[in-house]
Amino acid sequence: GVVPPTLQASYRSDPQSMERILEDTKNLAELEASGLNGLTALQVAASLNDVETLDVLYRHGADVNARHPFAESTALHFAVEMNAVQAIESLCEHDATVDAQKIDGGQPIHIAADLCHAQALEALLSPPCSADKDAIMLGDTTPLYLGIGFEWVFFSLSFFLLSESLY
């Protein structure tokens, strides 16, 4: 399949090309186009921590909460997976749903804890994100449990101390 021009610009971290593409087309379908892997340009830019391209996409009306067709992940989930702190903060400033759940019930804060991404966790717990430190996944799993469950003692202690200092 052909990779949509917006995705090409995102993969290259090329905000100038993205601006030209979106100005030329003024086409919402191009803005939300996805490749064979299901990713949109916004999700790619978020995972690459490319805030300049994110800003172009926001200005043109990209859906900050668009869902990936397979796992129902949002751009915020992808940014957290990559520990892309600037993108996390930018997405939250543009009204990303901080408690959006993937198909498995995981919110961005669960991903940060599961992957031991302390910087992402700090960004999620702080404004503008202000995620719920006690968010429940699968009926009983909190972010702190994920950290302790995998014996990441230092991470879990850091999580506890950070979350207590913010509340």
Side-chain angles (χ1 to χ4, degrees):
V2 175
V3 177
T6 50
L7 274 177
Q8 292 176 34
S10 272
Y11 282 120
R12 288 191 317 265
S13 293
D14 187 351
Q16 292 80 17
S17 290
M18 182 69 74
E19 186 71 55
R20 279 192 304 277
I21 293 163
L22 294 174
E23 280 298 318
D24 288 347
T25 65
K26 299 199 184 298
N27 181 347
L28 186 58
E30 180 63 35
L31 183 63
E32 300 298 336
S34 61
L36 293 176
N37 61 7
L39 295 173
T40 65
L42 189 96
Q43 292 164 342
V44 170
S47 67
L48 294 175
N49 207 27
D50 184 1
V51 265
E52 289 182 48
T53 300
L54 286 173
D55 287 340
V56 171
L57 291 162
Y58 300 144
R59 280 197 310 275
H60 287 275
D63 181 359
V64 73
N65 291 306
R67 298 293 186 133
H68 186 272
F70 310 134
E72 296 186 15
S73 303
T74 65
L76 188 57
H77 288 98
F78 287 109
V80 170
E81 285 175 6
M82 300 306 291
N83 207 22
V85 175
Q86 291 173 311
I88 293 167
E89 292 167 347
S90 175
L91 289 162
C92 287
E93 288 168 1
H94 288 87
D95 300 321
T97 303
V98 76
D99 60 352
Q101 294 183 353
K102 294 176 19 172
I103 202 162
D104 67 2
Q107 298 177 22
I109 195 165
H110 295 109
I111 294 169
D114 190 37
L115 296 176
C116 200
H117 286 333
Q119 296 90 354
L121 184 64
E122 183 175 359
L124 287 168
L125 290 170
S126 304
C129 296
S130 302
D132 179 4
K133 70 179 177 67
D134 298 316
I136 301 294
M137 178 177 98
L138 301 174
D140 65 354
T141 306
T142 65
L144 182 59
Y145 175 82
L146 287 169
I148 291 172
F150 292 103
E151 298 180 18
W152 291 323
V153 176
F154 177 75
F155 174 78
S156 299
L157 179 60
S158 298
F159 174 84
F160 176 76
L161 295 173
L162 174 64
S163 64
E164 291 302 308
S165 72
L166 292 172
Y167 290 94

